Amino acid sequence: MEEPDDMSHTLTVLWTIEPQAAPRPWLACSRCRGARPFECSGKTRLNANGRRLDAWLIYRCADCDDTWNRPIFERQYVRDIAPDTLDALQNNDPGWIRRVSFDVEDLRRSTDRIEEFADCHVTRRVVAPPRDVCTHLEIVLEVPLAVSMRADRLLSAELGLSRNRLVRLEEAGRLTLLSGSRKALQRPIRDGLRVALDLSDEGDRGEIADRAGGILQPA
């Protein structure tokens, strides 16, 4: 990321993005007799077969409550299972289950149709405040769980800027997203994404900076 000549005018903030709803696989429901969305129940199932274990994450049909067991592993020797994973499975650890339920890539092994949700909660923390009038903004994204929200939608909602304005700023070289991918504004956000915004010519730069830092709530 190109740093402005005078870092005293830069506000650096960390945004932690927490998705609100886990992806829902669409599967054939035997009771409904058709494809239906299934939701994670927050429960696991373990089955012992001699010295080996099978493990599943239990899902329920959103319409009739029928169940589907999502495979976690099959025929694994107990000694080969990480202790923290085994403990999480035995105790239905909510944090572990939440991480697994958001693993879309693994979920694709069971179905090609997955319903994802973009709604997120954003927690802001100022890493380095400007020592003078804020003219530059740097946002670092912390995204611990996979989320489908696009970068332009996130920035528009949280900074109070229209998507067209974001595009104009990007075209003018005043908005940069360092993600390693083309058309980063139109792609889902990822952990470690860094956003640099030059606000020096923006009349509402103070409001934008206040929204970024959480002083002013998004409109």
Side-chain angles (χ1 to χ4, degrees):
M1 177 178 297
E2 293 184 3
E3 297 182 348
D5 294 336
D6 188 356
M7 291 299 292
S8 66
H9 295 281
T10 300
L11 168 64
T12 302
V13 295
L14 174 68
W15 286 3
T16 301
I17 314 298
E18 288 286 347
Q20 298 301 288
R24 302 197 306 182
W26 278 68
L27 304 160
C29 178
S30 59
R31 290 185 183 175
C32 297
R33 299 185 182 278
R36 294 291 187 275
F38 279 68
E39 300 173 339
C40 180
S41 69
K43 302 293 184 181
T44 61
R45 177 186 171 191
L46 276 173
N47 182 57
N49 187 350
R51 296 181 179 180
R52 301 192 183 198
L53 289 177
D54 299 319
W56 300 271
L57 185 57
I58 302 173
Y59 282 68
R60 296 189 180 279
C61 174
D63 290 344
C64 75
D65 215 33
D66 195 17
T67 61
W68 169 64
N69 292 333
R70 172 184 171 183
I72 301 301
F73 54 74
E74 297 178 342
R75 299 297 188 267
Q76 287 269 5
Y77 283 107
V78 175
R79 65 172 181 269
D80 295 332
I81 304 171
D84 56 342
T85 298
L86 186 58
D87 181 70
L89 287 164
Q90 291 173 329
N91 294 285
N92 287 307
D93 180 77
W96 186 90
I97 291 174
R98 179 172 169 80
R99 287 193 296 274
V100 174
S101 69
F102 275 90
D103 189 344
V104 177
E105 294 307 313
D106 181 76
L107 197 55
R108 294 192 196 283
R109 297 190 303 170
S110 301
T111 178
D112 293 328
R113 185 178 179 185
I114 299 173
E115 184 179 5
E116 297 184 71
F117 303 92
D119 292 341
C120 298
H121 176 72
V122 181
T123 302
R124 301 165 175 79
R125 179 169 67 86
V126 174
V127 176
R131 295 190 297 273
D132 209 326
V133 176
C134 179
T135 60
H136 291 78
L137 176 62
E138 182 183 63
I139 304 170
V140 181
L141 299 187
E142 184 177 71
V143 189
L145 299 173
V147 62
S148 61
M149 175 174 279
R150 289 174 22 155
D152 56 355
R153 179 177 174 181
L154 175 70
L155 294 174
S156 176
E158 300 302 323
L159 296 180
L161 304 175
S162 70
R163 297 190 195 183
N164 286 337
R165 186 175 177 186
L166 290 170
V167 171
R168 292 196 298 271
L169 287 167
E170 185 182 41
E171 291 175 345
R174 307 184 78 82
L175 171 62
T176 305
L177 285 79
L178 293 188
S179 66
S181 63
R182 298 179 59 190
K183 298 183 178 180
L185 265 180
Q186 288 77 44
R187 296 185 180 277
I189 58 176
R190 292 291 181 265
D191 187 48
L193 175 65
R194 301 172 73 87
V195 180
L197 187 57
D198 182 350
L199 302 173
S200 56
D201 289 338
E202 307 303 313
D204 57 347
R205 59 177 177 265
E207 294 180 9
I208 297 172
D210 285 348
R211 290 193 184 98
I215 298 174
L216 183 65
Q217 292 300 310

